[in-house]
Amino acid sequence: MNRLGMIVVIVSGLLSPLWAIAAQDQASAEPVYSDMYSIARGGRLYDNWFEEKGIERPKVAHPAYPPAGKFRGNNGTDWRCKECHGWDYLGVEGAYGKGKHLTGFRGIRDAYRTTPKKLASILSDRFHGYGPGTLNTTDVYDLAAFVARGTFPMDHYIDRETNRGMGSVRRGREYYQTACVGCHGIDGKGEATPPLGRLAKEDPWEVMHKILNGQPGAEMPALRAFSIQPAADIVTYLQQEMPHR
Ligand code: HEC
Ligand code: HEC
């Protein structure tokens, strides 16, 4: 190393405590919310916004929910975004294209260009009907982050024909037994939920969504900042190795 190099090394070494102090100062400032925070929170609002916000459920039926639909006026269920747009974000073109959740409505996958402003005008129109006391500006911001950047093609991870996860059981077992076991138990039959093996079999899209975004209003982590593959591996493991009842 030449002499200039030596000097640079020594001086920066002497200054490093100052950098540490500056970093500490920054850490005590206001929290910086990441995009992942918004996307995951938006995902939980999409799942169940009144549960996530801890506010009262809507008492009247959603104005646009089909009169003959199974969940009309059912404890606010018909106000959950997922009830019309689906856990696979495909609406009538996905898993909600048949069965008791059928509404015939489209998904949100085509709305990836949405912005908080556009979404605010969609949600407050007469059709969607989210008026005062439901979603505030921050909620709409997070929902827009989710709609624009949080959905993904579920069919890459779950086989549409068989409903089976296409991930790795071995990796899913490792993820589950480190990230989930503490709350849900080694057999997925903790007190808080129905057996996870059964949920993953009945609705793998729902379990994918909850692993990535967390459970509304509950102390459950969101794996959103990791890639999507671990969630698919966990679902595959739950389906293939966990008790279904
Ligand atoms: C009762 C059923 C219902 C509920 C609940 C519902 N939507 Fe919708 N949504 C629809 C229908 C139907 C459309 C299509 C309207 C149209 O084509 O004009 C739509 C359209 C949209 C679109 C535009 C899609 C596109 O491709 O242009 C977005 C984004 C959206 N909804 C987001 C949400 C969010 C976020 C929530 C929850 C806060 C929600 N919706 C709740 C029925 C619903
Ligand atoms: C800190 C504890 C905690 C951890 C860790 C945790 N969960 Fe949860 N989970 C919960 C709680 C609490 C609930 C909600 C129970 C309720 O809503 O009454 C829940 C709900 C769920 C549900 C929805 C159940 C239903 O009734 O719809 C699924 C699926 C789930 N968890 C899967 C997982 C998986 C997979 C992992 C690991 C990636 C995980 N959880 C990690 C606490 C946790």
Side-chain angles (χ1 to χ4, degrees), residues 51 175-176 178-184 191-194 196 199-200 206-208 210-211 214-221 223 234-235 238:
E51 199 66 37
Y175 295 134
Y176 183 86
T178 50
C180 322
V181 70
C183 296
H184 289 289
E191 276 166 25
T193 68
L196 295 185
L199 291 179
E206 172 178 3
V207 177
M208 283 286 284
K210 287 181 188 284
I211 294 173
Q215 170 80 344
E219 283 178 16
M220 166 158 152
L223 301 198
I234 294 171
V235 167
L238 293 175

Side-chain angles (χ1 to χ4, degrees), residues 20 23 52 54 57 59 75 80 82 124 140 147 164 166 180 183 188 198-199:
E52 174 64 13
R57 300 158 178 262
K59 288 201 181 63
N75 259 329
R80 293 168 69 182
K82 76 93 195 167
S124 61
V140 174
V147 171
R164 280 167 78 103
M166 297 185 283
C180 322
C183 296
R198 188 177 93 207
L199 291 179

Side-chain angles (χ1 to χ4, degrees), residues 45-46 49 62-66 77-85 103-112 114 119 122-123 125 127-128 130 135 143-144 146-147:
L45 292 166
Y46 179 88
W49 52 272
H62 190 287
Y65 190 84
T77 304
D78 49 352
W79 285 85
R80 293 168 69 182
C81 315
K82 76 93 195 167
E83 196 54 50
C84 292
H85 295 299
T103 59
F105 294 147
R106 64 194 290 178
I108 51 163
R109 287 280 293 149
D110 290 341
Y112 61 90
T114 202
L119 189 63
I122 292 177
L123 294 181
D125 68 16
F127 180 86
H128 270 98
Y130 292 85
L135 302 167
L143 277 164
F146 173 75
V147 171

